[in-house]
Amino acid sequence: MGLFDGSGTLAALDTLLDREKALILQGDIEGVRRLAPEKERLLSRIGRNRFRRERLENLRKKADRNNELLAASARGFKAVQEKLIALRAAGRQHSTYDREGHRARMGKRPTDFNKRA
């Protein structure tokens, strides 16, 4: 393995795909977006070299895994968006929990205030 055989590029892409997975699992979609230019650069460098299929298979599996995670995240965001739209339209309150596990209310609050003077 020489200095310019491209294995450093494969290793860099492997590391980047692992970082991308971690960002997806953390919900840091902006972080994933920031990785895109580097990912494109590495992929173009790989395209200029010849590698055995076995060396590329692991990278393909990781890229497929990350794509599946991103698709699942998108479905989750869409489901939350649809639920919030439905709650607003219905004018109901909905309970949710914060990071500390405390209950919080969402939606319109009933007016208990007596407006008579």
Side-chain angles (χ1 to χ4, degrees):
M1 302 243 173
L3 181 60
F4 300 105
D5 67 356
S7 23
T9 302
L10 292 179
L13 183 58
D14 186 66
T15 300
L16 184 135
L17 290 170
D18 288 338
R19 283 182 32 219
E20 183 181 58
K21 177 188 176 192
L23 290 169
I24 295 167
L25 293 175
Q26 292 170 7
D28 187 356
I29 303 306
E30 178 60 24
V32 172
R33 188 197 62 76
R34 285 191 306 268
L35 288 180
E38 177 67 8
K39 186 176 177 183
E40 289 176 20
R41 186 183 70 77
L42 291 170
L43 287 170
S44 71
R45 286 178 66 187
I46 286 174
R48 287 185 246 146
N49 292 300
R50 291 181 180 233
F51 296 101
R52 291 195 337 227
R53 184 175 298 260
E54 307 85 54
R55 294 188 71 196
L56 297 174
E57 187 63 23
N58 184 50
L59 294 174
R60 186 192 60 76
K61 286 178 183 177
K62 285 186 174 190
D64 289 347
R65 172 204 62 202
N66 289 358
N67 287 338
E68 290 172 18
L69 289 171
L70 281 170
S73 294
R75 287 190 303 272
F77 287 132
K78 179 117 176 102
V80 168
Q81 182 183 33
E82 289 171 357
K83 183 69 172 177
L84 289 172
I85 289 169
L87 288 170
R88 273 192 216 122
R92 297 181 293 164
Q93 278 195 324
H94 179 71
S95 294
T96 187
Y97 296 91
D98 62 17
R99 288 184 178 171
E100 287 79 38
H102 299 109
R103 179 176 252 169
R105 294 260 185 219
M106 295 177 62
K108 292 183 180 178
R109 295 200 167 122
T111 54
D112 306 355
F113 188 89
N114 187 353
K115 294 182 182 178
R116 286 194 268 169

